Amino acid sequence: MSFPEPRPQAPQLPRHLLRTIDCQQGAVRAVRFNADGNYLLSCGSDKSLKLWSVSRGTLLKTYSGHGYEVLDADGSYDNSHLCSCSSDKTLILWDVATGQVTRKLRGHAGRVNCVQFNEEATVILSGSLDGTVRCWDTRSRRFEPIQVLDEARDGVSSLKVAQHELLTGSVDGRVRRYDLRMGQLHVDFISSPITCVCFSQDGQCTLSSSLDSTVRLLDKTTGEMLGEYTGHKMKGYKLDCCLSSKEHPRLELLRGRTRLLLGPGGRIVVLEAAGGESCCPVVVLPPDRDLPPHSHGGACPSVGGGA
């Protein structure tokens, strides 16, 4: 007599606090892992950028060079360089080992809200309050951007790069997706200032959060609304959003599953939705399951044009 094999457990979201780090930077504006997750970057209102060991929680190096608070940072794929942006309207490219400023880039007319390397760390992309996204060649000795994307009608609050695509969110309430290879621009109108955007793991969906305390999951190609989630009661606060990093061939919107969202004040909110409307967007489906029909039939307008 053979017993049936036990059912595999569903992936578990983190529930235990592993470590608390006192950054001593005043208000911490952003926290970013490096490419392999072994190191942590913290951006402070004291004008500094700090590098931490995740396993030990110790400070490895402090980078000072900005004239005002540091708002965002990113690390290159090989951990040799960092880039950061600030309210002083500049970007800085840092050498990780020496802590020296490799290049200081000026050109934005307002504070720089977000910054990211491309996959090869050959280009830095920055989004600013001046409504532009600027692309900077890290190998060139010239200090002018190689491309300026100025379609936004208000400040650019968030950007994400994935292969040849660039996703931006703006205070004008629009999520813009640039296909840099084809020279095309696609726009989804959300109607509320966008605070954060990201791609799904399979690259087929986009996730965005806005000042109306709503998180929206859209089909990348058609702009169709796949899910709309409201749970935070305090409107007007900046809301970040993210999708699970587990590699699955598909995504699903399910009710009655655990949801994870990064909420106001930098708190990670883990909620268990028991039927009805779920509070947060999440996302994983076992590989042997099919996607359910879309829970929302409404579509956001998608506009094609030259980037």
Short mmCIF file of all heavy atoms in Angstrom, two decimals, residues 131-133 149-161 165-180 184-190 194 196-199 206-208 218 220 301-303 306-307:
data_model
loop_
_atom_site.label_atom_id
_atom_site.label_comp_id
_atom_site.label_asym_id
_atom_site.label_seq_id
_atom_site.Cartn_x
_atom_site.Cartn_y
_atom_site.Cartn_z
N GLY A 131 10.20 66.77 -15.60
CA GLY A 131 9.38 66.07 -16.58
C GLY A 131 10.15 65.32 -17.65
O GLY A 131 9.55 64.86 -18.61
N THR A 132 11.46 65.17 -17.49
CA THR A 132 12.27 64.49 -18.50
C THR A 132 12.93 63.24 -17.94
O THR A 132 13.18 63.13 -16.73
CB THR A 132 13.37 65.40 -19.07
OG1 THR A 132 14.34 65.68 -18.03
CG2 THR A 132 12.79 66.69 -19.60
N VAL A 133 13.18 62.30 -18.83
CA VAL A 133 14.06 61.16 -18.56
C VAL A 133 15.30 61.35 -19.42
O VAL A 133 15.20 61.56 -20.63
CB VAL A 133 13.38 59.82 -18.92
CG1 VAL A 133 14.36 58.67 -18.77
CG2 VAL A 133 12.15 59.60 -18.04
N LEU A 149 14.09 62.17 -23.13
CA LEU A 149 12.69 61.81 -23.36
C LEU A 149 11.84 62.80 -22.58
O LEU A 149 11.82 62.79 -21.34
CB LEU A 149 12.41 60.38 -22.89
CG LEU A 149 13.36 59.31 -23.47
CD1 LEU A 149 13.12 57.97 -22.79
CD2 LEU A 149 13.19 59.19 -24.97
N ASP A 150 11.12 63.67 -23.29
CA ASP A 150 10.42 64.77 -22.65
C ASP A 150 8.91 64.73 -22.88
O ASP A 150 8.25 65.77 -22.89
CB ASP A 150 10.99 66.10 -23.13
CG ASP A 150 10.90 66.28 -24.64
OD1 ASP A 150 10.42 65.35 -25.33
OD2 ASP A 150 11.32 67.35 -25.13
N GLU A 151 8.34 63.55 -23.04
CA GLU A 151 6.90 63.44 -23.31
C GLU A 151 6.05 63.72 -22.07
O GLU A 151 4.88 64.07 -22.19
CB GLU A 151 6.57 62.05 -23.86
CG GLU A 151 6.99 61.83 -25.30
CD GLU A 151 8.49 61.58 -25.43
OE1 GLU A 151 9.14 61.25 -24.42
OE2 GLU A 151 9.01 61.71 -26.56
N ALA A 152 6.59 63.53 -20.88
CA ALA A 152 5.81 63.74 -19.65
C ALA A 152 5.44 65.21 -19.50
O ALA A 152 6.25 66.10 -19.82
CB ALA A 152 6.59 63.26 -18.44
N ARG A 153 4.26 65.47 -18.99
CA ARG A 153 3.78 66.84 -18.78
C ARG A 153 3.92 67.28 -17.33
O ARG A 153 3.48 68.35 -16.96
CB ARG A 153 2.32 66.95 -19.23
CG ARG A 153 2.14 66.74 -20.72
CD ARG A 153 2.85 67.83 -21.52
NE ARG A 153 2.84 67.56 -22.96
CZ ARG A 153 3.87 67.06 -23.63
NH1 ARG A 153 5.00 66.77 -22.98
NH2 ARG A 153 3.79 66.85 -24.92
N ASP A 154 4.54 66.44 -16.52
CA ASP A 154 4.82 66.78 -15.13
C ASP A 154 6.00 65.91 -14.69
O ASP A 154 6.59 65.20 -15.50
CB ASP A 154 3.59 66.53 -14.25
CG ASP A 154 3.52 67.48 -13.07
OD1 ASP A 154 4.59 67.81 -12.53
OD2 ASP A 154 2.42 67.90 -12.69
N GLY A 155 6.34 66.00 -13.42
CA GLY A 155 7.54 65.31 -12.94
C GLY A 155 7.49 63.81 -13.13
O GLY A 155 6.44 63.17 -13.00
N VAL A 156 8.64 63.20 -13.44
CA VAL A 156 8.77 61.75 -13.55
C VAL A 156 9.13 61.22 -12.16
O VAL A 156 10.15 61.60 -11.58
CB VAL A 156 9.85 61.36 -14.57
CG1 VAL A 156 10.03 59.84 -14.61
CG2 VAL A 156 9.48 61.89 -15.95
N SER A 157 8.30 60.36 -11.61
CA SER A 157 8.46 59.89 -10.24
C SER A 157 9.12 58.53 -10.13
O SER A 157 9.69 58.19 -9.09
CB SER A 157 7.10 59.85 -9.54
OG SER A 157 6.20 59.04 -10.27
N SER A 158 9.04 57.71 -11.19
CA SER A 158 9.57 56.35 -11.10
C SER A 158 9.91 55.86 -12.50
O SER A 158 9.26 56.25 -13.49
CB SER A 158 8.52 55.42 -10.48
OG SER A 158 8.97 54.08 -10.43
N LEU A 159 10.94 55.01 -12.60
CA LEU A 159 11.28 54.39 -13.88
C LEU A 159 11.87 53.01 -13.64
O LEU A 159 12.48 52.75 -12.60
CB LEU A 159 12.23 55.26 -14.69
CG LEU A 159 13.64 55.59 -14.20
CD1 LEU A 159 14.64 54.47 -14.49
CD2 LEU A 159 14.13 56.88 -14.83
N LYS A 160 11.67 52.12 -14.62
CA LYS A 160 12.24 50.78 -14.59
C LYS A 160 12.71 50.42 -15.99
O LYS A 160 12.04 50.72 -16.98
CB LYS A 160 11.21 49.75 -14.13
CG LYS A 160 10.86 49.83 -12.66
CD LYS A 160 12.04 49.46 -11.78
CE LYS A 160 11.66 49.49 -10.31
NZ LYS A 160 11.31 50.84 -9.83
N VAL A 161 13.87 49.77 -16.07
CA VAL A 161 14.46 49.35 -17.34
C VAL A 161 14.46 47.83 -17.39
O VAL A 161 14.84 47.17 -16.42
CB VAL A 161 15.90 49.87 -17.49
CG1 VAL A 161 16.44 49.55 -18.86
CG2 VAL A 161 15.95 51.37 -17.24
N GLU A 165 13.24 47.90 -23.08
CA GLU A 165 12.05 48.66 -22.74
C GLU A 165 12.29 49.52 -21.50
O GLU A 165 12.98 49.12 -20.56
CB GLU A 165 10.87 47.72 -22.50
CG GLU A 165 10.37 47.05 -23.76
CD GLU A 165 9.13 46.23 -23.51
OE1 GLU A 165 9.14 45.41 -22.58
OE2 GLU A 165 8.13 46.41 -24.24
N LEU A 166 11.66 50.67 -21.51
CA LEU A 166 11.73 51.61 -20.39
C LEU A 166 10.31 51.94 -19.96
O LEU A 166 9.47 52.31 -20.77
CB LEU A 166 12.46 52.88 -20.80
CG LEU A 166 12.41 54.06 -19.83
CD1 LEU A 166 13.11 53.71 -18.52
CD2 LEU A 166 13.05 55.30 -20.46
N LEU A 167 10.04 51.78 -18.67
CA LEU A 167 8.73 52.07 -18.10
C LEU A 167 8.86 53.26 -17.16
O LEU A 167 9.73 53.27 -16.29
CB LEU A 167 8.20 50.86 -17.34
CG LEU A 167 6.75 50.91 -16.85
CD1 LEU A 167 5.78 50.87 -18.02
CD2 LEU A 167 6.48 49.74 -15.89
N THR A 168 8.01 54.28 -17.33
CA THR A 168 8.08 55.46 -16.48
C THR A 168 6.69 55.79 -15.94
O THR A 168 5.68 55.53 -16.58
CB THR A 168 8.61 56.69 -17.23
OG1 THR A 168 7.65 57.12 -18.21
CG2 THR A 168 9.93 56.38 -17.92
N GLY A 169 6.68 56.36 -14.75
CA GLY A 169 5.45 56.87 -14.16
C GLY A 169 5.61 58.34 -13.86
O GLY A 169 6.68 58.78 -13.42
N SER A 170 4.56 59.11 -14.10
CA SER A 170 4.65 60.56 -13.99
C SER A 170 3.52 61.11 -13.14
O SER A 170 2.46 60.49 -12.98
CB SER A 170 4.62 61.19 -15.39
OG SER A 170 4.54 62.60 -15.31
N VAL A 171 3.74 62.32 -12.62
CA VAL A 171 2.73 63.00 -11.83
C VAL A 171 1.54 63.40 -12.70
O VAL A 171 0.46 63.70 -12.18
CB VAL A 171 3.35 64.22 -11.13
CG1 VAL A 171 2.34 64.96 -10.26
CG2 VAL A 171 4.54 63.79 -10.27
N ASP A 172 1.69 63.40 -14.00
CA ASP A 172 0.56 63.73 -14.88
C ASP A 172 -0.43 62.57 -15.01
O ASP A 172 -1.39 62.64 -15.78
CB ASP A 172 1.05 64.17 -16.26
CG ASP A 172 1.79 63.08 -17.02
OD1 ASP A 172 1.80 61.91 -16.57
OD2 ASP A 172 2.41 63.39 -18.06
N GLY A 173 -0.23 61.48 -14.25
CA GLY A 173 -1.17 60.38 -14.22
C GLY A 173 -1.02 59.38 -15.34
O GLY A 173 -1.94 58.59 -15.58
N ARG A 174 0.13 59.36 -16.00
CA ARG A 174 0.32 58.46 -17.13
C ARG A 174 1.51 57.53 -16.92
O ARG A 174 2.55 57.94 -16.42
CB ARG A 174 0.50 59.26 -18.42
CG ARG A 174 -0.79 59.91 -18.90
CD ARG A 174 -0.55 60.94 -19.98
NE ARG A 174 -1.79 61.41 -20.57
CZ ARG A 174 -2.60 62.31 -20.03
NH1 ARG A 174 -2.27 62.86 -18.86
NH2 ARG A 174 -3.71 62.67 -20.63
N VAL A 175 1.29 56.27 -17.31
CA VAL A 175 2.37 55.28 -17.35
C VAL A 175 2.82 55.19 -18.80
O VAL A 175 2.02 54.87 -19.69
CB VAL A 175 1.89 53.91 -16.83
CG1 VAL A 175 2.99 52.88 -16.99
CG2 VAL A 175 1.45 54.01 -15.38
N ARG A 176 4.09 55.47 -19.03
CA ARG A 176 4.63 55.46 -20.40
C ARG A 176 5.61 54.30 -20.54
O ARG A 176 6.48 54.11 -19.70
CB ARG A 176 5.32 56.78 -20.72
CG ARG A 176 4.35 57.96 -20.80
CD ARG A 176 5.08 59.28 -21.00
NE ARG A 176 4.14 60.38 -21.28
CZ ARG A 176 3.52 61.07 -20.32
NH1 ARG A 176 3.75 60.80 -19.05
NH2 ARG A 176 2.66 62.03 -20.65
N ARG A 177 5.45 53.57 -21.63
CA ARG A 177 6.37 52.46 -21.95
C ARG A 177 7.05 52.76 -23.27
O ARG A 177 6.41 52.86 -24.31
CB ARG A 177 5.62 51.13 -22.02
CG ARG A 177 6.53 49.94 -22.35
CD ARG A 177 5.78 48.62 -22.24
NE ARG A 177 4.63 48.57 -23.12
CZ ARG A 177 4.68 48.15 -24.39
NH1 ARG A 177 5.84 47.79 -24.93
NH2 ARG A 177 3.58 48.12 -25.13
N TYR A 178 8.36 52.88 -23.21
CA TYR A 178 9.15 53.17 -24.40
C TYR A 178 9.78 51.87 -24.90
O TYR A 178 10.45 51.15 -24.14
CB TYR A 178 10.28 54.15 -24.08
CG TYR A 178 9.83 55.52 -23.64
CD1 TYR A 178 9.55 55.79 -22.31
CD2 TYR A 178 9.72 56.57 -24.55
CE1 TYR A 178 9.14 57.05 -21.89
CE2 TYR A 178 9.32 57.84 -24.15
CZ TYR A 178 9.04 58.07 -22.81
OH TYR A 178 8.65 59.32 -22.40
N ASP A 179 9.55 51.57 -26.16
CA ASP A 179 10.27 50.49 -26.83
C ASP A 179 11.45 51.15 -27.54
O ASP A 179 11.30 51.70 -28.63
CB ASP A 179 9.36 49.76 -27.81
CG ASP A 179 10.01 48.50 -28.39
OD1 ASP A 179 11.23 48.52 -28.63
OD2 ASP A 179 9.28 47.50 -28.59
N LEU A 180 12.61 51.11 -26.91
CA LEU A 180 13.77 51.84 -27.44
C LEU A 180 14.30 51.20 -28.71
O LEU A 180 14.93 51.87 -29.53
CB LEU A 180 14.87 51.89 -26.36
CG LEU A 180 14.46 52.57 -25.04
CD1 LEU A 180 15.58 52.48 -24.02
CD2 LEU A 180 14.06 54.01 -25.28
N GLN A 184 9.16 53.36 -30.26
CA GLN A 184 7.73 53.54 -30.06
C GLN A 184 7.44 53.92 -28.61
O GLN A 184 8.17 53.55 -27.69
CB GLN A 184 6.97 52.26 -30.41
CG GLN A 184 7.04 51.89 -31.89
CD GLN A 184 6.33 50.59 -32.19
OE1 GLN A 184 6.06 49.79 -31.29
NE2 GLN A 184 5.99 50.38 -33.46
N LEU A 185 6.34 54.64 -28.43
CA LEU A 185 5.87 55.05 -27.11
C LEU A 185 4.42 54.60 -26.94
O LEU A 185 3.59 54.84 -27.82
CB LEU A 185 5.96 56.57 -26.95
CG LEU A 185 5.26 57.20 -25.74
CD1 LEU A 185 5.88 56.70 -24.45
CD2 LEU A 185 5.31 58.71 -25.82
N HIS A 186 4.13 53.96 -25.81
CA HIS A 186 2.78 53.53 -25.47
C HIS A 186 2.41 54.18 -24.14
O HIS A 186 3.19 54.14 -23.19
CB HIS A 186 2.68 52.01 -25.37
CG HIS A 186 3.14 51.31 -26.62
ND1 HIS A 186 2.28 51.00 -27.65
CD2 HIS A 186 4.37 50.87 -27.00
CE1 HIS A 186 2.96 50.40 -28.61
NE2 HIS A 186 4.22 50.31 -28.24
N VAL A 187 1.21 54.74 -24.06
CA VAL A 187 0.79 55.51 -22.89
C VAL A 187 -0.49 54.91 -22.33
O VAL A 187 -1.45 54.66 -23.07
CB VAL A 187 0.56 56.99 -23.24
CG1 VAL A 187 0.19 57.78 -21.98
CG2 VAL A 187 1.80 57.58 -23.89
N ASP A 188 -0.53 54.69 -21.00
CA ASP A 188 -1.73 54.28 -20.29
C ASP A 188 -2.10 55.39 -19.31
O ASP A 188 -1.27 55.80 -18.48
CB ASP A 188 -1.52 52.97 -19.53
CG ASP A 188 -1.29 51.80 -20.47
OD1 ASP A 188 -2.09 51.64 -21.40
OD2 ASP A 188 -0.32 51.06 -20.27
N PHE A 189 -3.34 55.87 -19.39
CA PHE A 189 -3.80 56.96 -18.54
C PHE A 189 -4.44 56.39 -17.28
O PHE A 189 -5.39 55.61 -17.35
CB PHE A 189 -4.80 57.83 -19.30
CG PHE A 189 -5.32 58.98 -18.49
CD1 PHE A 189 -4.45 59.92 -17.95
CD2 PHE A 189 -6.67 59.12 -18.27
CE1 PHE A 189 -4.92 60.98 -17.20
CE2 PHE A 189 -7.16 60.19 -17.53
CZ PHE A 189 -6.28 61.11 -16.99
N ILE A 190 -3.91 56.79 -16.11
CA ILE A 190 -4.39 56.28 -14.83
C ILE A 190 -5.30 57.27 -14.12
O ILE A 190 -6.13 56.91 -13.32
CB ILE A 190 -3.19 55.90 -13.92
CG1 ILE A 190 -2.33 54.84 -14.62
CG2 ILE A 190 -3.65 55.38 -12.58
CD1 ILE A 190 -3.05 53.55 -14.91
N ILE A 194 1.21 59.12 -10.56
CA ILE A 194 1.87 57.83 -10.39
C ILE A 194 3.04 57.97 -9.42
O ILE A 194 3.83 58.92 -9.51
CB ILE A 194 2.36 57.29 -11.74
CG1 ILE A 194 1.23 57.28 -12.77
CG2 ILE A 194 2.95 55.89 -11.57
CD1 ILE A 194 0.08 56.39 -12.41
N CYS A 196 4.90 54.84 -8.38
CA CYS A 196 5.84 53.74 -8.60
C CYS A 196 5.36 52.87 -9.75
O CYS A 196 4.14 52.69 -9.93
CB CYS A 196 5.97 52.89 -7.32
SG CYS A 196 7.25 51.61 -7.41
N VAL A 197 6.28 52.35 -10.54
CA VAL A 197 5.96 51.44 -11.63
C VAL A 197 6.96 50.29 -11.65
O VAL A 197 8.08 50.42 -11.17
CB VAL A 197 5.99 52.15 -13.02
CG1 VAL A 197 4.89 53.18 -13.13
CG2 VAL A 197 7.35 52.79 -13.27
N CYS A 198 6.53 49.15 -12.20
CA CYS A 198 7.45 48.03 -12.40
C CYS A 198 6.87 47.06 -13.42
O CYS A 198 5.66 47.06 -13.68
CB CYS A 198 7.78 47.31 -11.09
SG CYS A 198 6.38 46.45 -10.35
N PHE A 199 7.74 46.22 -13.98
CA PHE A 199 7.35 45.15 -14.89
C PHE A 199 7.10 43.88 -14.08
O PHE A 199 7.68 43.68 -13.01
CB PHE A 199 8.44 44.86 -15.91
CG PHE A 199 8.60 45.90 -16.98
CD1 PHE A 199 9.68 46.78 -16.95
CD2 PHE A 199 7.71 45.99 -18.03
CE1 PHE A 199 9.85 47.74 -17.95
CE2 PHE A 199 7.86 46.94 -19.03
CZ PHE A 199 8.93 47.82 -18.98
N THR A 206 2.37 45.27 -16.43
CA THR A 206 2.97 46.37 -15.68
C THR A 206 2.15 46.62 -14.44
O THR A 206 0.93 46.47 -14.44
CB THR A 206 3.04 47.66 -16.52
OG1 THR A 206 1.70 48.12 -16.81
CG2 THR A 206 3.81 47.44 -17.81
N LEU A 207 2.83 46.99 -13.37
CA LEU A 207 2.19 47.29 -12.10
C LEU A 207 2.50 48.74 -11.75
O LEU A 207 3.63 49.19 -11.89
CB LEU A 207 2.72 46.37 -11.00
CG LEU A 207 2.02 46.42 -9.64
CD1 LEU A 207 0.62 45.83 -9.74
CD2 LEU A 207 2.84 45.68 -8.59
N SER A 208 1.49 49.47 -11.31
CA SER A 208 1.69 50.88 -10.95
C SER A 208 0.88 51.22 -9.71
O SER A 208 -0.20 50.67 -9.49
CB SER A 208 1.28 51.80 -12.11
OG SER A 208 -0.09 51.66 -12.39
N LEU A 218 -1.78 46.07 -15.24
CA LEU A 218 -2.22 46.25 -16.62
C LEU A 218 -1.54 45.26 -17.54
O LEU A 218 -0.39 44.88 -17.32
CB LEU A 218 -1.90 47.67 -17.10
CG LEU A 218 -2.43 48.85 -16.29
CD1 LEU A 218 -1.96 50.16 -16.91
CD2 LEU A 218 -3.94 48.81 -16.18
N LYS A 220 0.52 44.66 -20.57
CA LYS A 220 1.50 45.55 -21.18
C LYS A 220 1.17 45.87 -22.64
O LYS A 220 1.33 47.01 -23.08
CB LYS A 220 2.90 44.93 -21.10
CG LYS A 220 4.01 45.85 -21.59
CD LYS A 220 5.35 45.13 -21.60
CE LYS A 220 5.46 44.19 -22.79
NZ LYS A 220 6.81 43.61 -22.93
N PRO A 301 -6.62 53.49 -22.22
CA PRO A 301 -6.23 53.85 -23.58
C PRO A 301 -4.76 53.66 -23.80
O PRO A 301 -3.95 53.96 -22.95
CB PRO A 301 -6.64 55.32 -23.68
CG PRO A 301 -6.70 55.81 -22.28
CD PRO A 301 -7.14 54.63 -21.47
N SER A 302 -4.39 53.14 -24.94
CA SER A 302 -2.99 52.95 -25.30
C SER A 302 -2.72 53.72 -26.58
O SER A 302 -3.45 53.60 -27.55
CB SER A 302 -2.69 51.47 -25.50
OG SER A 302 -1.34 51.26 -25.81
N VAL A 303 -1.68 54.54 -26.55
CA VAL A 303 -1.39 55.42 -27.67
C VAL A 303 -0.01 55.11 -28.20
O VAL A 303 0.94 55.02 -27.43
CB VAL A 303 -1.46 56.91 -27.23
CG1 VAL A 303 -1.17 57.81 -28.41
CG2 VAL A 303 -2.81 57.23 -26.65
N GLY A 306 6.08 58.10 -31.75
CA GLY A 306 7.55 58.08 -31.76
C GLY A 306 8.10 58.51 -30.43
O GLY A 306 7.61 59.44 -29.81
N ALA A 307 9.15 57.81 -29.99
CA ALA A 307 9.74 58.14 -28.69
C ALA A 307 10.68 59.32 -28.89
O ALA A 307 11.81 59.15 -29.28
CB ALA A 307 10.49 56.95 -28.14
#
